[in-house]
Amino acid sequence: MVAKTGDGVFTLLRRHGLNPSEHLAPFLELNKDNLGKDNSLLIGKTYMLPPKVAATGKETPPETTRSEPNPSVPNSPSKGNTVALFGEKHARLDMKSQRLKGAVYYLSPGHGGYDPGALGRYGPHTLAEDEYAYDVTIRLAKSLMEHGATVYMIVQDPNDGIRDQTILKMDTDEVHYPNTKISLSQKQRLRQRTEAINTLYKKHKGAYQRMLAIHVDSRSIGQKIDVFFYHHENSDAGQKLAETIHQKFTSKYKRYQPNREYSGNVSHRSSLYVIKYTHPPTVFIELGNIQNDLDQKRFVIPDNRQALANWIAEGILDDYKTR
């Protein structure tokens, strides 16, 4: 098939009756020599489709959720409470403290639904940004809850939970809080998230509230990057939170990797949609380059994903303590 103006891999697959969650990896493998930056399609190029193309050629409709996800998590769960959204293995929630009691956090992992975000190759496997950002974010949600916080997962996958695999299988059944299909339009997806957060922000008026958006970057394959942080230029609270988490990462790298310099930084990027339009002070976190071999170890090793979540949580605890 010849790529037309405005075509993307997912558009092309859906047009020909192929489910991206099943056919993306084989499509990329078949056409690896004809793809542009970040696996983009080149207008006028001919692309091969994986087998089992639907005869109708109609676009595959978005999948519906298989079960109702938890819209939020309790503020002060008793010992032994379980949270289904965390998955069967990790559902048990044991309280460690009440250090975040009274705090409300909105956690928004990047992309989701039919938008996988940045893609990287790991041997024969395709790594999708949305899956790894989600796993770090939901681990962070659990950690914050264990210290008494109220947490809202703005993107939710009703059946993935916290996963301990190296390769996280791609799917498209994520939903937006409280249980809304994720739009195919990028701008509408961002609007869905900000509207959900801003509605909850009004509900919790007067409470200490913060929002964190967690993403995985995509740059040239050879570029290794450290975790870095964005905030709104006019948000002192957002800047303080970003700098406090950054300080935590700096100290952790000095302790655990003393022979290498940590180059992550904090800067303002007020034009980013979720930073510009969400009402709570917001920090946008990039965890690394999914296309870089060294950065990939930060994502594919489950213990490393847990470390990322733990370090972010420790920075959040320090920020709340000094509010």
Side-chain angles (χ1 to χ4, degrees):
M1 303 304 302
V2 178
K4 303 174 183 178
T5 301
D7 275 351
V9 174
F10 282 72
T11 305
L12 193 66
L13 290 174
R14 289 194 299 269
R15 183 188 300 149
H16 295 280
L18 295 173
N19 187 334
S21 66
E22 298 175 0
H23 297 95
L24 175 62
F27 178 89
L28 296 177
E29 185 62 28
L30 282 171
N31 299 283
K32 59 185 177 182
D33 295 328
N34 286 325
L35 297 170
K37 183 179 179 182
D38 296 338
N39 294 320
S40 60
L41 300 183
L42 303 176
I43 298 172
K45 283 279 188 181
T46 299
Y47 293 93
M48 294 181 290
L49 294 174
K52 296 184 181 180
V53 178
T56 62
K58 294 181 179 179
E59 179 172 314
T60 303
E63 295 179 293
T64 57
T65 58
R66 289 186 284 274
S67 60
E68 180 78 14
N70 291 351
S72 64
V73 294
N75 182 30
S76 300
S78 59
K79 184 176 181 181
N81 264 14
T82 60
V83 178
L85 195 63
F86 295 157
E88 184 176 353
K89 181 179 177 181
H90 295 274
R92 181 182 173 88
L93 192 71
D94 293 317
M95 297 305 297
K96 296 178 179 178
S97 79
Q98 290 293 321
R99 292 169 61 190
L100 292 176
K101 185 176 181 179
V104 181
Y105 294 96
Y106 309 104
L107 305 183
S108 181
H111 306 277
Y114 277 98
D115 174 19
L119 299 173
R121 299 294 295 176
Y122 185 77
H125 305 286
T126 298
L127 308 181
E129 172 183 3
D130 68 323
E131 302 297 341
Y132 288 89
Y134 184 84
D135 196 67
V136 172
T137 304
I138 199 168
R139 290 171 185 269
L140 173 61
K142 183 175 184 179
S143 182
L144 298 180
M145 288 176 60
E146 289 172 340
H147 292 286
T150 294
V151 179
Y152 291 90
M153 283 289 293
I154 301 304
V155 175
Q156 302 179 1
D157 190 309
N159 49 48
D160 276 351
I162 294 172
R163 291 177 283 177
D164 295 320
Q165 295 80 23
T166 297
I167 304 302
L168 300 183
K169 183 180 178 181
M170 298 167 60
D171 61 25
T172 60
D173 62 351
E174 296 89 0
V175 295
H176 280 147
Y177 172 90
N179 188 24
T180 305
K181 289 181 182 178
I182 296 178
S183 173
L184 295 175
S185 162
Q186 180 186 20
K187 188 171 183 179
Q188 180 59 22
R189 286 196 299 272
L190 296 174
R191 185 179 291 117
Q192 286 175 320
R193 296 179 193 198
T194 55
E195 288 178 353
I197 293 167
N198 291 342
T199 298
L200 290 165
Y201 181 78
K202 292 178 183 178
K203 174 183 174 181
H204 292 284
K205 184 177 180 180
Y208 173 100
Q209 304 184 60
R210 297 292 186 268
M211 196 282 263
L212 293 97
I214 297 179
H215 287 248
V216 178
D217 202 2
S218 174
R219 304 190 183 193
S220 62
I221 294 175
Q223 186 171 2
K224 184 180 185 299
I225 62 173
D226 278 318
V227 180
F228 59 97
F229 309 85
Y230 295 132
H231 61 87
H232 195 284
E233 59 187 323
N234 296 324
S235 175
D236 291 341
Q239 180 176 350
K240 175 178 174 291
L241 177 58
E243 290 178 345
T244 304
I245 301 173
H246 174 258
Q247 289 168 5
K248 182 61 63 176
F249 270 74
T250 301
S251 66
K252 292 292 186 180
Y253 269 93
K254 285 182 179 178
R255 178 178 178 182
Y256 294 108
Q257 297 190 40
N259 296 321
R260 93 160 179 85
E261 183 180 356
Y262 171 65
S263 60
N265 58 63
V266 176
S267 62
H268 61 77
R269 194 170 174 184
S270 306
S271 61
L272 286 174
Y273 193 99
V274 295
I275 291 180
K276 185 175 183 179
Y277 292 109
T278 48
H279 294 164
T282 296
V283 175
F284 189 106
I285 304 176
E286 291 279 14
L287 297 176
N289 182 3
I290 202 167
Q291 296 192 22
N292 179 270
D293 291 344
L294 294 175
D295 280 6
Q296 285 174 346
K297 295 178 182 178
R298 199 177 302 157
F299 313 128
V300 299
I301 299 174
D303 286 348
N304 287 350
R305 297 198 296 272
Q306 187 62 54
L308 287 168
N310 290 346
W311 295 0
I312 295 170
E314 289 181 33
I316 288 171
L317 282 161
D318 287 349
D319 175 77
Y320 189 61
K321 181 179 179 180
T322 58
R323 64 192 183 279

